[in-house]
């Protein structure tokens, strides 16, 4: 899909890293969420007090290298290579979050909620129109696509934009997916989308990377169901099937395009996700 075409068509609607890698690596159980919670003291090998400016620069570079190595070791579990130029964005997100940063949530209005025996089966929500940064990627597996896609957007979030500033993380990160008619196969084209924080909605900073597009998605109504765990071809197809059976009127929603909403880092052992069905016009 070409940049600028990452929207989905729905009713009033959205028009249109990585857990332990196994083996004997000592980093096998480290997740990216662990990395985001590390403070500078935890990552520093130095026990000294004040340092000269030159020494502080060297320490910053060493900290970047350590963080990058952690990410690279973790990412290999999904056959994802984290390039050297990710060192600075990784450090920025780590230092800005520091385990305490509140991520802004995409606002919505709850229309209705269907429950059974006290459990929420699904919710019907209304999302207002908003600006999103989008990038479409095509890798061998879904997890590779979302990892590479998120790294691309991460650079945009971390100063590679016209404002030159750190924009801040928002949740959920969305991935737009497509299936065949029988909902048995996922398309390899995956669009990863990042919601611009409220303070940037009126005038979104432009990406330095021309492969990232800024899209204004119109207001939409979605049917959404929560699920936990890994997101891959098998789990997503299963969640689509479960959700389709729960909806009372399947004809009311788009049948070949769906959204996976991620609320926790793809690295988390127990990921918090949602599957979204978009209401037809």
């Amino acid at each position: 899909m070409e940049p600028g075409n990452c929207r989905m068509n729905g009713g009033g609607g959205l028009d249109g890293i990585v857990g332990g890698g196994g083996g004997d690596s000592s980093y096998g159980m480290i997740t990216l969420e662990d990395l985001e919670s590390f403070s500078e003291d935890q990552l520093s090998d130095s026990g000294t007090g004040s340092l000269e400016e030159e020494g502080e620069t060297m320490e910053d570079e060493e900290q970047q290298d350590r963080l990058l190595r952690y990410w690279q070791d973790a990412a290999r579990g999904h056959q994802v290579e984290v390039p050297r130029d990710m060192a600075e964005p990784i450090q920025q997100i780590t230092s800005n979050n520091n385990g305490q940063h509140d991520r802004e949530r995409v606002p919505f209005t709850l229309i209705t909620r269907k429950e059974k025996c006290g459990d929420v089966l699904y919710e019907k929500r209304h999302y207002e129109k908003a600006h999103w940064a989008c990038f479409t990627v095509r890798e061998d597996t879904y997890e590779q696509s979302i990892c590479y896609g998120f790294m691309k957007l991460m650079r945009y979030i971390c100063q590679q934009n016209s404002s030159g500033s750190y924009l801040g993380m928002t949740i959920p990160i969305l991935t737009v997916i497509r299936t065949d008619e029988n909902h048995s196969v996922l398309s390899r084209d995956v669009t990863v989308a990042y919601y611009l924080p409220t303070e940037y909605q009126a005038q979104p900073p432009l990406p330095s990377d021309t492969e990232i597009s800024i899209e204004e998605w119109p207001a939409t109504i979605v049917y959404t169901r929560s699920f936990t765990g890994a997101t891959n071809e098998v789990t997503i197809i299963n969640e689509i099937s479960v959700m389709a059976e729960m909806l009372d009127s399947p004809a009311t929603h788009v049948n070949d395009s769906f959204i996976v909403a991620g609320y926790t880092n793809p690295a988390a052992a127990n990921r918090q996700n949602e599957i979204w069905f978009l209401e037809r016009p």
Side-chain angles (χ1 to χ4, degrees), residues 64-252:
Q64 280 190 6
D65 288 340
R66 281 193 294 274
L67 279 168
L68 179 64
R69 286 196 298 271
Y70 277 119
W71 278 55
Q72 288 173 331
D73 286 336
R76 290 190 186 102
H78 291 287
Q79 298 180 325
V80 170
E81 292 298 324
V82 179
R84 182 70 181 84
D85 67 359
M86 285 299 299
E88 187 172 351
I90 289 170
Q91 185 186 35
Q92 275 194 298
I93 281 187
T94 302
S95 59
N96 276 283
N97 287 343
N98 199 26
Q100 301 173 354
H101 186 275
D102 289 331
R103 295 176 172 90
E104 181 179 344
R105 287 179 173 259
V106 181
F108 67 86
T109 300
L110 179 64
I111 298 174
T112 187
R113 176 183 290 129
K114 185 170 182 179
E115 300 181 359
K116 184 177 181 180
C117 300
D119 294 328
V120 177
L121 299 182
Y122 64 83
E123 293 182 344
K124 183 177 181 180
R125 304 173 183 165
H126 177 267
Y127 286 86
E128 297 290 347
K129 69 177 181 179
H131 286 99
W132 296 75
C134 305
F135 174 66
T136 298
V137 60
R138 181 184 177 90
E139 295 293 336
D140 291 337
T141 69
Y142 173 82
E143 290 202 332
Q144 288 175 337
S145 291
I146 61 172
C147 286
Y148 283 120
F150 180 68
M151 283 193 288
K152 192 88 160 178
L153 292 177
M154 199 169 154
R155 295 184 181 98
Y156 167 68
I157 296 167
C158 296
Q159 296 187 335
Q160 291 188 23
N161 58 71
S162 58
S163 74
S165 59
Y166 174 77
L167 303 182
M169 282 300 301
T170 61
I171 54 173
I173 294 293
L174 304 186
T175 53
V176 182
I177 57 175
R178 290 159 183 81
T179 69
D180 63 349
E181 186 176 351
N182 297 321
H183 299 163
S184 59
V185 178
L186 289 186
S187 168
R188 286 174 60 194
D189 291 320
V190 174
T191 298
V192 185
Y194 157 78
Y195 173 82
L196 272 295
T198 301
E199 63 180 298
Y200 298 109
Q201 279 292 322
Q203 285 190 303
L206 298 178
S208 303
D209 188 336
T210 57
E211 291 186 318
I212 297 174
S213 61
I214 303 298
E215 297 288 335
E216 185 180 69
W217 289 2
T220 189
I221 292 175
V222 303
Y223 300 86
T224 173
R225 170 178 164 81
S226 299
F227 67 99
T228 59
T231 52
N232 54 46
E233 288 82 354
V234 174
T235 58
I236 292 172
I237 289 295
N238 180 66
E239 291 300 327
I240 290 173
S241 176
V242 171
M243 182 65 159
E245 291 180 4
M246 288 185 175
L247 291 177
D248 298 328
S249 304
T252 62

